Amino acid sequence: MQKKITKAIFPVAGMGTRFLPATKSVPKEIMTLVDRPLIQYAIDEAREAGIKEFIFVTSRGKSALEDYFDHAPQLERELRKKGKTELLETLAATNMESGAIAYIRQHHALGLGHAVRCARRLIANEPFAVILPDDVIAGEKPCLKQMIDAYEETGGSMVAAMEVPMAQASSYGVLDVKEDMGSIVSVKGMVEKPKEGQAPSNLAVIGRYILTPSVLRNLRNQDSGAGGEIQLTDAIASEIEQGRNVYGFRFKGQRYDCGSKAGFLQATVAFGLARDDLRDELAEYLDELQASRRAAE
Ligand code: G1P
């Protein structure tokens, strides 16, 4: 029996420069896929995986995130007065139990590993999850839930993994596979953003992690790595060097890289098409668009 995972860290301190000018005043995590902010997808996934404590590692300019998960008494009063029960229900999904969310500031942008370490006092000595809200994963069973179920069997630390084209491997953390057991692979090394031609495989780390507390201890002494930043990948790789087990998990589901504009647009279309109230109109428009593009060729 593994210790239950009840805490998740959401690193949300990044400046989101790829989405400027929008992110000049709106945190990237509040940008919406259809009508729900990116962060809502991450929180829902965590909740469905049994997470009870949500730790946001934030930075200056991210207070919209705190407001988003707060009650909005005036808005709720207005909706109630007008009998808009459906909208009230929609809003209820954004309400978190008092004390369930903690916000910690990352005062210096020193990298993902540093962001995770900022939450160490709230994690103390138990395994925990990390969710990167940029990676939106659509699947029948939430990705983190799939991982927690697999972790029940394996223990150790586990990262979500997905095959990517070799040419893109340098944009990711990449796994050096020891033994491939299908959905679970055991890992003998990890490299963050390998140089071209140096990736040990094309199995890339995607933004879901289950980590043992020893990773936090490794982060204390972690030198800066790729891009001059303190990398979470390096601290997990140290686990292997210290003789502890690390696994990759090939999740079932479609991952969208919402940290890139193209990925964000693809997710918007896919989530729109998945909605009963939008599907027909959107599909018709996409067909028309394709037909007119063909005609112009
Ligand atoms: C981060 C991690 C990287 C991982 C990626 C997945 O990189 O450092 O290991 O492969 O997320 O999205 P970033 O995309 O923040 O540069």
Side-chain angles (χ1 to χ4, degrees), residues 112 132 135 172-173 192-193 205-207 209 231 233 255:
L112 177 60
L132 308 187
D135 282 329
Y172 293 91
E192 179 67 15
K193 313 258 160 64
V205 177
I206 301 301
Y209 307 77
Q231 296 292 351
T233 300
R255 174 252 183 180

Side-chain angles (χ1 to χ4, degrees), residues 81-160:
K81 225 169 31 194
K82 293 186 176 136
K84 308 239 176 204
T85 30
E86 231 174 89
L87 286 179
L88 276 167
E89 273 165 33
T90 305
L91 269 192
T94 67
N95 292 342
M96 303 291 281
E97 194 194 328
S98 292
I101 301 195
Y103 299 92
I104 295 213
R105 283 258 177 132
Q106 183 186 21
H107 296 117
H108 305 285
L110 297 178
L112 177 60
H114 178 259
V116 167
R117 182 167 142 73
C118 287
R120 64 194 178 279
R121 291 196 178 84
L122 291 178
I123 298 292
N125 199 27
E126 56 191 283
F128 58 99
V130 178
I131 295 191
L132 308 187
D134 271 2
D135 282 329
V136 175
I137 302 174
E140 226 168 275
K141 184 167 169 188
C143 179
L144 188 63
K145 175 80 178 118
Q146 295 176 38
M147 289 173 72
I148 288 181
D149 289 349
Y151 163 84
E152 291 285 330
E153 305 293 320
T154 60
S157 286
M158 180 178 278
V159 300

Side-chain angles (χ1 to χ4, degrees), residues 48-65:
E48 286 173 50
I51 299 298
K52 304 279 182 244
E53 290 179 56
F54 305 80
I55 303 165
F56 282 48
V57 182
T58 70
S59 60
R60 189 174 290 276
K62 296 280 181 162
S63 43
L65 276 168

